[in-house]
């Protein structure tokens, strides 16, 4: 019985390092955004803020290291990295406002520019922004740089609408719930480019999840359940979903467990993964 070859992180091309985009993907993604917000707020108030940022950065680096050492998508490693990006991304956005006094509108614009630059650099280097193309170390670096930028942007945008615009946490939930319906409608009904729809929704899940976490945990306009208890509940929900996905394989990429070519030519890519051969247009997929 033939078995799939093992790729390492040094392979030119290998297995996909990110999950299939299913309903489970969006559920866990939303939970990590909420958990990242509440955990960051808990840490910076429970201990010295500077120490909390250092702890967040160390956890962020450790989680990314675990993810990069895998040769394919592994649910616990991937979602741990996303969760730690959520915590550290929140801290990065908060440092600009709380530590440096930068207005939320300015930090929102700043992180939007950073995200645009990451997208531009990624596309110029690889010719696609499809998450189905995350099969090499360089593409994975671009992917995680994008994820970090989206978390920081989403945090700043959520604080801007809730505090600067005076919508409050619940008002922000309503606002971003409406906004996130735009890429959903565009993709399923209006023929929106799938890559654009994906990253549009990915960015908006951050302020939506963060607003939910703030509304549940904080007293000024929220339910005042506390950042610690809210963080624990969200973390437990994430763990339960990740355990289920690990056991069921419901979000396992289609290229895993199937035989792939042993070697890829320097200028050819695997068409099954949605990556074009030289001279061919990129597939319009997420």
């Amino acid at each position: 019985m033939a078995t799939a070859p093992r790729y390492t992180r040094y392979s030119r091309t290998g297995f996909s390092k990110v999950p299939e985009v299913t309903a489970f993907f969006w559920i866990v993604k939303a939970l990590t955004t909420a958990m990242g917000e509440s955990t960051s707020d808990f840490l910076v108030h429970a201990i010295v803020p500077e120490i909390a940022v250092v702890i967040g950065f160390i956890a962020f680096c450790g989680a990314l290291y675990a993810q990069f050492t895998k040769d394919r998508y592994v649910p616990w490693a991937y979602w741990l990295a996303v969760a730690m990006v959520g915590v550290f991304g929140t801290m990065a956005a908060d440092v600009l406002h709380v530590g440096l006094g930068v207005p939320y509108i300015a930090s929102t614009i700043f992180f939007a520019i950073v995200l645009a630059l990451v997208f531009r650099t990624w596309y110029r280097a690889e010719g696609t922004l499809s998450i189905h193309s995350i099969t090499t170390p360089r593409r994975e670096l671009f992917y995680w740089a994008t994820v970090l930028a989206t978390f920081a942007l989403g945090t700043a945008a959520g604080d801007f609408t809730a505090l600067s615009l005076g919508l409050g946490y619940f008002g922000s939930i309503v606002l971003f719930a409406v906004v996130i319906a735009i890429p959903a409608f565009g993709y399923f009904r209006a023929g929106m480019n799938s890559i654009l729809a994906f990253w549009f929704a990915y960015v908006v899940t951050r302020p939506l999840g963060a607003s939910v976490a703030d509304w549940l945990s904080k007293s000024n306009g929220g339910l005042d359940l506390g950042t610690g208890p809210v963080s624990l509940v969200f973390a437990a929900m994430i763990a339960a979903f990740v355990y289920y996905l690990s056991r069921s394989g419901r979000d396992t990429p289609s290229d895993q467990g199937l035989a792939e070519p042993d070697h890829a030519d320097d200028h050819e890519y695997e068409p099954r993964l949605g990556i074009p051969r030289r001279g061919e247009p990129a597939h319009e997929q997420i």
Side-chain angles (χ1 to χ4, degrees):
M1 177 178 176
T3 58
R6 184 180 184 278
Y7 289 85
T8 72
R9 64 186 184 277
Y10 302 107
S11 301
R12 180 175 297 277
T13 59
F15 292 112
S16 177
K17 297 291 294 292
V18 300
E20 288 293 311
V21 180
T22 65
F24 291 107
F25 176 90
W26 294 112
I27 291 171
V28 182
K29 170 61 167 61
L31 290 172
T32 61
T33 65
M35 191 277 291
E37 177 74 16
S38 56
T39 301
S40 174
D41 288 342
F42 172 77
L43 289 175
V44 296
H45 289 94
I47 58 179
V48 178
E50 291 78 7
I51 296 177
V53 172
V54 171
I55 292 174
F57 178 71
I58 293 173
F60 163 71
C61 292
L64 279 187
Y65 176 78
Q67 166 66 14
F68 273 87
T69 58
K70 306 303 178 186
D71 65 351
R72 66 192 71 198
Y73 167 64
V74 177
W76 74 262
Y78 175 84
W79 287 112
L80 176 63
V82 173
M84 292 304 101
V85 169
V87 174
F88 184 66
T90 301
M91 291 178 173
D94 288 343
V95 161
L96 285 182
H97 178 76
V98 179
L100 302 179
V102 178
Y104 286 125
I105 179 61
S107 59
T108 300
I109 294 173
F110 171 74
F111 287 120
I113 294 172
V114 170
L115 179 60
L117 290 175
V118 173
F119 275 139
R120 177 176 173 79
T121 305
W122 181 2
Y123 188 79
R124 286 176 65 88
E126 300 294 342
T128 180
L129 300 178
S130 170
I131 66 166
H132 291 298
S133 70
I134 312 303
T135 57
T136 68
R138 187 169 73 172
R139 290 172 188 158
E140 191 172 11
L141 282 172
F142 280 124
Y143 176 79
W144 288 107
T146 302
V147 171
L148 180 59
T150 63
F151 270 81
L153 170 60
T155 298
D159 289 336
F160 172 66
T161 59
L163 302 176
S164 298
L165 294 184
L167 294 181
Y169 301 126
F170 189 78
S172 294
I173 293 173
V174 175
L175 171 64
F176 290 115
V178 172
V179 173
I180 204 170
I182 296 174
F185 176 83
Y187 176 69
F188 289 108
R189 297 294 183 182
M192 179 184 285
N193 176 279
S194 60
I195 297 175
L196 173 61
F198 172 83
W199 286 114
F200 189 156
Y202 198 95
V203 171
V204 180
T205 56
R206 174 55 186 170
L208 177 59
S211 297
V212 170
D214 285 337
W215 179 65
L216 291 172
S217 63
K218 295 184 177 179
S219 59
N220 52 335
L223 299 183
D224 196 21
L225 299 179
T227 54
V230 170
S231 296
L232 290 175
V233 170
F234 282 130
M237 294 173 69
I238 293 168
F241 273 107
V242 172
Y243 176 78
Y244 170 74
L245 293 172
S246 299
R247 300 286 294 179
S248 67
R250 293 290 297 274
D251 66 341
T252 300
S254 59
D255 65 327
Q256 295 185 19
L258 300 176
E260 300 287 349
D262 288 331
H263 300 283
D265 183 81
D266 286 354
H267 304 299
E268 292 188 354
Y269 301 91
E270 176 55 56
R272 287 181 64 252
L273 300 179
I275 311 169
R277 295 179 184 275
R278 172 166 288 194
E280 294 181 358
H283 296 294
E284 294 298 323
Q285 64 181 142
I286 297 173

